[in-house]
Amino acid sequence: MQIKELKARGIKNSRKEAAIEVIINKKYSASAPSGASTGTHEVRSFPKKGIRYAIEKVNKYNFKELKFEKFKDLEILDAYIKSWGGNTVVALQSAILKAMAKGNVWKFLNPKAKVLPTPLGNCIGGGAHTKLESIDIQEFLLIPKAKTFKEKVKINRKVYDMIGKQLKLKKKTDEGAFISNESTITTLKFMTEYMEQIKKTKGWDVSLGVDIAASQFYKKGKYNYRNFWENEKRIVSRKEQINIVNNWIKDYNLKYVEDPLEEEDFRGFAKLNQKTLICGDDLITTNIDRFKKAITKKAVNAIIIKPNQIGSLVKTKELVDFARKNRIKTIISHRSGETMDPIISHLAVAWKIPYIKTGIYGKEREIKLQELIKIERQIKA
Ligand code: PGA
Ligand code: ZN
C-alpha cells in the first residue's frame, strides 16, 4: 500500500475534548478516544507539549518511505508512543490499517472469522462518568443472550428504553447511560428484579454486569460510598469491600464484575468469586506486564482491552493472543470520550474477542454496533 498523502488534524470527541484524526490518501480516516476513569498505568494520550505538537510532528513526518503491506508492519510506529502519545500512534496505525484493508479491516486481518462478540451495554451509570455526583458504581451493564448480534443489540436497546421510562430517567452520562439518584443497593436490586421480569414477560435472557471502577471512590485506604443504601454514606475497608462484592455476585446474580477493587490490589482480586467474570480494566490498563502479574496472582479471568491505554494496535494484538493462551476472556472497549471510529468492531471480529463494551445510546456508540450488524451480514453472505 502506497501512502501518497497523510494528514493529521484536531477534532472533538463526544465529550468535546480535543482528539486526533488521521486521513490517508484523502480516503481512509481514523481517530482515537479518551477516558475519564483513566488508570494510573495507561500511556499518555498526547505528549506533554500537547496535541498540537503531536499533530505537527505527524504532518512533518515522511511516511512515503515506509512500507505497509501487513498488520505487523505497523509495529515500526510503536517507537513513537512516548514522543507522540498513545492516541496519536493508535489513530495512525488505525488509518494505515484501514488503507491496507481498503476499508474492510476484519476481512483483511482474518477472512475466516465468523463469530460476532456479545455487546455489553451500559444502561445506568455514575462514578467518574457523572463527575462522581451520582451513583457510586460507574456502569450497570446489560449482557443479552440471543442467536444473532442484531437481536442482542435490539434487546439491549429495548430494555434500556423501558428502564428509562419506568424510572423516569432523562439525564445521561458521558457514555449515554441513564443517570439515577437511587442508591447502589436499590439499583442492584431493581436491575436484578427487572431482568427476571423481562425474562418472564418478554422471554428475553439478559444478565447483569457492573463496572465498579472502585479506584474512583478509594481514598486513604478505604472505599467511600456516597449513597450505599437509602442515602447512607458508607466507608468500608478492603476486607469489607471484598465481602460486599462477593455477596453482590451471589445476591444479584452478577455475571460480570469489572474493577471491584482499587487498581493496585491484585491480591484482593484473587479473593473474589471467580465463577463469575472478574475483569481488570484500571487494574491492568491493557499493559502486558501488569497482565502477567494479574495472571500470576490469579487476580482475574477477564480483561478489558482498550488500544489507546497501551498506545498501539500491535501491542493490543499481542495482549489479546496472550489472553487466549492463558484462557482469560477478553472484552474490547470504547472509552467514555469516544469518536465516530468503529475500528474496535472490526478488531473484535478479526481477533475473535468474545465481548465488546460500546454503550447502547449515542451516535459514537451506535456506529460501532451498526458496524458489527453490517459485518454479521457480510459473514452470513
Ligand atoms: P473510561 O471509562 O473510558 O472513562 O476510562 C470506561 C471504563 O472504565 O470502562
Ligand atoms: Zn472500566
Side-chain angles (χ1 to χ4, degrees), residues 37 127-128 132 136-139 210-219 221-225 236 241-242 245 248 257-265 269 272 279 281-283:
S37 71
L132 305 175
D136 298 295
I137 290 184
Q138 184 178 281
E139 297 162 24
V210 286
D211 179 1
I212 300 180
S215 279
Q216 296 293 323
F217 56 94
Y218 182 74
K219 278 167 209 105
K222 303 268 186 198
Y223 295 91
N224 292 257
Y225 287 89
V236 307
Q241 175 73 358
I242 292 169
V245 174
W248 285 353
V257 180
E258 183 178 329
D259 286 338
L261 298 168
E262 57 93 10
E263 67 196 13
E264 300 301 339
D265 194 2
F269 268 72
L272 294 162
C279 178
D281 172 15
D282 295 344
L283 180 80

Side-chain angles (χ1 to χ4, degrees), residues 15 33-39 42 122 128-129 138-139 141 174-175 211-213 216 256 258-259 281-282 304 306 308-309 333-338 357 365:
R15 220 173 6 230
S34 288
S37 71
T38 47
E42 298 188 21
N122 188 358
H129 294 167
Q138 184 178 281
E139 297 162 24
L141 300 157
D174 285 353
E175 290 187 354
D211 179 1
I212 300 180
Q216 296 293 323
Y256 173 87
E258 183 178 329
D259 286 338
D281 172 15
D282 295 344
I304 281 278
K306 292 171 172 168
N308 84 313
Q309 279 185 328
S333 170
H334 68 165
R335 304 302 307 255
S336 49
E338 254 304 333
K357 198 166 88 156
R365 326 283 155 191

Side-chain angles (χ1 to χ4, degrees), residues 43-54:
V43 302
R44 287 187 69 95
S45 294
F46 297 105
K48 280 214 176 77
K49 288 179 184 163
I51 182 169
R52 285 277 134 217
Y53 171 84

Side-chain angles (χ1 to χ4, degrees), residues 46-82:
F46 297 105
K48 280 214 176 77
K49 288 179 184 163
I51 182 169
R52 285 277 134 217
Y53 171 84
I55 289 172
E56 229 173 82
K57 282 282 172 201
V58 169
N59 283 333
K60 276 192 193 141
Y61 193 88
N62 188 4
F63 287 93
K64 286 175 198 152
E65 308 226 311
L66 302 179
K67 207 179 119 231
F68 295 106
E69 302 299 341
K70 53 188 190 304
F71 180 76
K72 202 69 176 135
D73 294 339
L74 299 170
E75 193 168 19
I76 193 158
L77 297 169
D78 285 2
Y80 299 94
I81 297 172
K82 259 223 167 92

